Amino acid sequence: MGLHLGVDVGTQGTKALVYDSAAGAVVGRGGESYGLIEGLAAGACEQDPATWVEAVRAAVHEALAGLDASAVEGIGVSGQQHGFVALDAAHEVIRPAKLWCDTETAPEAEELSRETGVPTPAGFTASKILWLKRHEPESFSRLAHVLLPHDYINFVLTGELAMECGDASGTGFFDPVERAFSEPRMSAIDEGLAGWLPALIKPDDAVGGLREEWATEWGLSSGVPVSPGSGDNM
């Protein structure tokens, strides 16, 4: 019955709060605002994932101010859905993330809708991966890991690659009935896509423990469990 830290990584900013389970009350809040990358092509909406990381850092510091951070027993992250974070084999970000509100990928979304028979909005992740393949082949050739924004923050915090099923439901290639990625829908994007996706985890599975560097910076105990969280729509 200690403190719990919640973080929401949104399109316009990141918010953090600390909840005291014993008191049944929010005891700390923090936030950091940011915008989109400017000067892009019409319809393109992108952000640098490093912006989210720094916003999480600042928002959590603010939320924990004046509290006994060592009493935090768990962390949960929610995040904007559908965005595409592309990582290479060394887990480095290849390019800025294309967000849910990016409509530059509308032609790819229409193509996938025709090929799979499943309506695929431009906002879904599927169209963004195919867009990268078509428009930035050099970047696509480096692709080794496909993450959503919320997955990327969980990775930064824990070092573990994972995707929660609720968030995965907005990718365009997840079957919510089977609770698994759809082979035909993945193949319509690229035959290699299945190998670039992280493991799917359930809502009550922890992603992992908080990395030592974050525990030290925020004054938390090492290895505090990070829940899978979900997309903001969940």
Side-chain angles (χ1 to χ4, degrees), residues 92-204:
E92 295 296 327
V93 175
I94 296 173
R95 70 175 315 283
K98 295 191 83 62
L99 307 185
W100 62 273
C101 47
D102 185 296
T103 58
E104 191 178 22
T105 64
E108 286 74 24
E110 293 176 5
E111 179 180 333
L112 290 172
S113 297
R114 289 195 305 270
E115 288 193 11
T116 65
V118 179
T120 305
F124 278 18
T125 317
S127 67
K128 306 175 193 313
I129 301 172
L130 185 57
W131 182 93
L132 185 68
K133 181 178 181 179
R134 296 279 170 77
H135 295 270
E136 297 182 3
E138 184 176 344
S139 293
F140 187 80
S141 69
R142 297 173 53 201
L143 186 61
H145 302 284
V146 171
L147 297 180
L148 305 176
H150 147 250
D151 304 330
Y152 180 68
I153 296 302
N154 278 345
F155 167 69
V156 170
L157 294 179
T158 68
E160 301 292 336
L161 297 169
M163 187 180 294
E164 182 272 333
C165 290
D167 211 1
S169 68
T171 60
F173 45 83
F174 177 81
D175 185 332
V177 176
E178 299 295 330
R179 295 183 72 80
F181 292 121
S182 166
E183 290 289 347
R185 294 183 214 171
M186 289 190 293
S187 296
I189 300 169
D190 191 89
E191 293 294 340
L193 178 55
W196 302 329
L197 295 171
L200 286 169
I201 58 176
K202 297 182 295 184
D204 55 353

Side-chain angles (χ1 to χ4, degrees), residues 21-84:
S21 298
V26 173
V27 294
R29 296 180 184 272
E32 186 79 3
S33 298
Y34 43 75
L36 303 174
I37 295 175
E38 298 181 355
L40 301 180
C45 294
E46 301 179 4
Q47 286 174 338
D48 185 342
T51 299
W52 308 331
V53 176
E54 290 310 306
V56 169
R57 186 192 307 274
V60 171
H61 269 301
E62 184 179 355
L64 290 171
L67 300 175
D68 177 10
S70 66
V72 172
E73 297 179 346
I75 301 171
V77 180
S78 67
Q80 50 176 299
Q81 286 199 261
H82 317 314
F84 170 36

